[in-house]
Amino acid sequence: MALSFVDILIIVVYLAGCVTAGVWVRRYVRAVEDFALARREMDVHLGVASLAATELGVVTVMYTAQLGFQYGFAGATPGVLMAFWMFLVGMTGFIIRPLRAAKVMTIPELFERRFGKLVRWLAGFVVVLGGVLNMGIFLRLGGEFLVHVAGLPAPYLEWVMTGLLMLVLLYTTLGGMISVLVTDYLQFLVMGGGIVLTSLIVLQEAGWQRLAMTLLQANQKQFVFVVSPAEPPQPAGAEASGSISSTRKPEAHHSEQSSPPIKKIHIGFPLHPFGPGAPGALWVMWQALVALAAITTWQTTVARVLAARDEHKACAIYRRTAFYFVGRFALPGLWGAAACAYFYRQGGLPAGVDDLTAMPHYLGLILPAGALGIVIAGMLAAEMSTDSGYLLTWATVIYNDLVMPCLKRPLTPAARLLLIRILVVLIGVFLIFWGLWYELPGTAWDYLAVTGTIYLASLFTLLVAALYFPAANATGAVAAILMGAIGPVGFVFVNALTPPDSPWRISPEVAGFSAFALAALGMIGGSLAGRLWRGQPREKPTGGENK
Amino acid sequence: MLYGSFVDLSQWLWFGFWSAVIFGSLVWYGTLVFYVGWHGAKEIVQLARRMKDEPQSLKEQAS
């Protein structure tokens, strides 16, 4: 284990402080609007801290570092795109201004005003399916980071993450959004400090110019990392030396393994996304579309808009958080790129380490005692703030859009509060088993990507139509949800039936674009058909004027 | 040669762009931690004061 006494002390103090603060503010929760939206009393700076903390989890750090490992600095392109949209949306108020003015608790609630109860329920179902299933990935990836960076034995992963989620559940269930805001604030400070410190240490180890040169050289030489299975446990002496278990050339590394390589990783052009081995223009366009859809429809992001004191503060939160999203990709991407350069200079990856786990493995090797504790506390903060924000958001959607519309008699305020708290606990328990203790089959990852794409394509189309398309109606909304699902579901079927090298295989970008196009087509075609066949009247867009 | 691998001006420009992005992010994160840290703490105190009042839904129920 790589942790010293100082590291452990820092982590324990952070966890104790965070949970105490989260539980302490439970006294302010007396009704559902307190629990779900902090009575819409959130100001700009607290909103910036909360939004930044929630949207930067360990899962984000892991996959952005993976992009950095594969594509160097070009891997941070989605962050630049996201910051661009975030600032533009904050400047113009596109979607978020009328959404906040409508005074709804969730996005599907807005749909009921425009399209009726069925659409609200269907949209709520899509939101919960896409959101909760995808959140299942968070815990395992967060655990992978902690296990690799702290040098913990692999079987500890499930227990550490279960314990962490129990702490998050404790304060989220008691204090709801108020606890989430206060703990997000603390986590923002610890996480921000940890990220800056880590980046400085990484820059010192890798050297800025040397890093760029090394990555370019690896790309020009068409270097390939060979990922091989984990080796059997080493004798204690070998582990204690701190040296990397394999510093040989990848080819030699592979040839000496008894089992075949798991995968090969090519190093893309590091300076921009259009060079040799880089992801290309289609990927950039897809990332741009996903970024716009995510910042305007992803319920956890939008929850901060809805909790803001007014529309102007909601827009200000977006403008001031925009550049944070560049760093969200660029700084962990820097760690991933530095890990790539480090292992390239070493001649290959250690056994059992791949492009996803290379970064935490690298940090575990370069961070000194004390700094390691701060970085782990920072990443725990990132994980906890994301988990608490997501638990609260999905519980609010289930409560508000799936359960409440089905009740014949309104519940008392106390019963409503109890119900939403029970939902938070149930989602937490589900995540522990779905995300940690149940081993996902390989194909399950495809289904997660599918549900995420259906969510973004359907909800973005519905939201734009509800706010800006006067001819939209319920038939169009149902058609948009159904047709938005065809592209991603077709992607799974076609790719399951075709061999890996077949030209008929559909890329994720094409499947994603088709989902958005089909959803838009469904909305326009369905709305026209609805008006023709049912004689549905032309309706006003739902915005602030309809509140 | 230190910069031998940059083959044309566009690579220099991209390197300059990513230098601005990475170091700009570092400065921004460092600044935001202190700036938001200070103002956010004040907002938490104000939020707690406002939350001491009875919520609207309970007032309506009581009346």
Side-chain angles (χ1 to χ4, degrees):
Chain A
M1 188 156 138
L3 294 177
S4 68
F5 174 74
V6 180
D7 295 321
I8 294 169
L9 189 68
I10 291 169
I11 294 166
V12 169
V13 168
Y14 158 71
L15 285 175
C18 199
V19 174
T20 306
V23 172
W24 186 73
V25 296
R26 77 187 187 284
R27 66 189 64 194
Y28 300 115
V29 177
R30 279 165 288 186
V32 166
E33 63 260 37
D34 297 344
F35 188 87
L37 293 172
R39 217 182 293 170
R40 300 188 202 268
E41 290 285 0
M42 185 181 72
D43 261 318
V44 175
H45 298 98
L46 202 50
V48 169
S50 181
L51 182 57
T54 303
E55 294 308 320
L56 206 163
V58 179
V59 65
T60 322
V61 172
M62 288 287 274
Y63 79 73
T64 49
Q66 186 183 28
L67 284 175
F69 188 95
Q70 292 174 337
Y71 304 121
F73 311 132
T77 306
V80 178
L81 295 167
M82 194 168 250
F84 169 76
W85 286 127
M86 198 97 188
F87 189 76
L88 205 65
V89 168
M91 287 294 286
T92 59
F94 175 63
I95 291 183
I96 62 169
R97 194 188 294 271
L99 188 61
R100 174 61 188 86
K103 294 188 176 176
V104 290
M105 198 183 278
T106 57
I107 294 174
E109 190 183 337
L110 181 89
F111 296 154
E112 183 180 359
R113 295 187 189 175
R114 184 68 203 278
F115 303 124
K117 266 190 180 176
L118 174 68
V119 175
R120 176 184 185 173
W121 202 90
L122 273 178
F125 181 72
V126 169
V127 166
V128 170
L129 194 70
V132 176
L133 292 187
N134 275 277
M135 197 183 161
I137 309 170
F138 293 9
L139 293 175
R140 181 156 287 280
L141 280 186
E144 290 272 3
F145 178 91
L146 293 173
V147 162
H148 276 268
V149 81
L152 294 170
Y156 280 36
L157 187 150
E158 285 85 2
W159 291 108
V160 169
M161 295 313 290
T162 301
L164 197 67
L165 195 69
M166 298 296 253
L167 292 180
V168 173
L169 269 176
L170 176 69
Y171 68 74
T172 310
T173 309
L174 292 174
M177 184 58 114
I178 306 169
S179 286
V180 168
L181 288 179
V182 172
T183 53
D184 275 0
Y185 166 77
L186 294 174
Q187 288 153 0
F188 170 81
L189 300 183
V190 176
M191 184 182 76
I195 288 174
V196 171
L197 180 71
T198 309
S199 302
L200 291 174
I201 294 172
V202 164
L203 278 172
Q204 191 188 24
E205 185 280 324
W208 177 237
Q209 294 156 341
R210 181 166 163 248
L211 172 63
M213 293 302 119
T214 310
L215 294 173
L216 262 179
Q217 192 185 52
N219 173 255
Q220 283 162 358
K221 286 188 174 177
Q222 299 184 331
F223 186 82
V224 179
F225 282 111
V226 178
V227 180
S228 44
E231 287 168 352
Q234 297 289 315
E239 191 65 30
S241 70
S243 64
I244 303 167
S245 57
S246 168
T247 56
R248 293 155 287 184
K249 292 278 181 197
E251 292 78 9
H253 184 97
H254 165 49
S255 64
E256 288 174 23
Q257 296 293 320
S258 54
S259 40
I262 298 169
K263 68 173 177 179
K264 293 181 177 181
I265 306 157
H266 296 263
I267 306 302
F269 188 71
L271 293 178
H272 59 75
F274 313 108
L282 190 66
W283 179 81
V284 174
M285 287 192 286
W286 169 236
Q287 292 299 326
L289 186 59
V290 166
L292 176 61
I295 62 165
T296 49
T297 63
W298 196 243
Q299 186 68 42
T300 53
T301 310
V302 168
R304 271 68 193 168
V305 170
L306 301 173
R309 297 189 75 186
D310 55 47
E311 303 95 282
H312 306 293
K313 290 211 162 43
C315 290
I317 289 170
Y318 264 49
R319 286 196 303 275
R320 294 189 195 179
T321 319
F323 195 69
Y324 198 88
F325 280 79
V326 176
R328 178 183 186 250
F329 278 78
L331 297 179
L334 168 74
W335 310 349
C340 175
Y342 179 88
F343 290 119
Y344 167 71
R345 288 196 297 269
Q346 298 290 334
L349 287 166
V353 174
D354 61 7
D355 49 347
L356 190 67
T357 51
M359 180 274 290
H361 199 86
Y362 162 73
L363 290 186
L365 292 172
I366 67 157
L367 291 175
L372 192 59
I374 295 172
V375 171
I376 291 178
M379 289 303 108
L380 286 175
E383 180 66 33
M384 291 169 82
S385 56
T386 305
D387 289 347
S388 61
Y390 275 53
L391 281 170
L392 181 68
T393 302
W394 307 131
T396 306
V397 174
I398 294 174
Y399 160 84
N400 199 49
D401 302 311
L402 297 183
V403 178
M404 293 305 279
C406 298
L407 295 178
K408 288 184 179 168
R409 278 189 314 171
L411 297 173
T412 62
R416 290 161 66 188
L417 196 54
L418 179 67
L419 174 62
I420 198 167
R421 280 178 161 151
I422 289 171
L423 286 170
V424 171
V425 174
L426 288 178
I427 295 173
V429 172
F430 170 77
L431 287 174
I432 287 173
F433 287 99
W434 162 252
L436 280 175
W437 294 96
Y438 170 67
E439 185 127 350
L440 288 172
T443 49
W445 298 96
D446 288 340
Y447 297 114
L448 295 182
V450 165
T451 51
T453 310
I454 294 171
Y455 175 119
L456 291 179
S458 306
L459 268 282
F460 183 68
T461 306
L462 258 65
L463 203 47
V464 171
L467 296 170
Y468 302 107
F469 183 40
N473 57 36
T475 315
V478 174
I481 293 174
L482 294 178
M483 287 185 70
I486 290 175
V489 172
F491 155 77
V492 170
F493 274 105
V494 171
N495 287 359
L497 294 173
T498 51
D501 52 350
S502 167
W504 296 102
R505 285 180 77 81
I506 306 174
S507 72
E509 290 88 359
V510 171
F513 275 122
S514 69
F516 278 84
L518 286 168
L521 204 66
M523 174 55 78
I524 296 166
S527 298
L528 288 174
R531 284 179 67 193
L532 285 172
W533 293 338
R534 293 186 188 174
Q536 284 181 1
R538 187 182 165 100
E539 294 163 72
K540 270 188 176 178
T542 304
E545 70 279 10
N546 288 353
K547 65 181 180 276
Chain B
M1 193 160 60
L2 187 58
Y3 306 115
S5 295
F6 285 146
V7 293
D8 57 29
L9 181 65
S10 75
Q11 290 194 356
W12 272 103
L13 291 174
W14 279 106
F15 180 65
F17 172 75
W18 290 117
S19 300
V21 165
I22 299 279
F23 289 100
S25 297
L26 263 178
V27 172
W28 182 248
Y29 269 56
T31 311
L32 219 56
V33 165
F34 289 102
Y35 183 79
V36 171
W38 172 248
H39 289 279
K42 286 198 287 188
E43 286 180 9
I44 287 176
V45 174
Q46 290 163 357
L47 176 80
R49 277 193 199 133
R50 290 195 295 266
M51 295 291 291
K52 277 182 183 166
D53 298 335
E54 192 90 330
Q56 194 62 34
S57 61
L58 293 186
K59 280 180 191 169
E60 284 167 7
Q61 196 194 29
S63 63

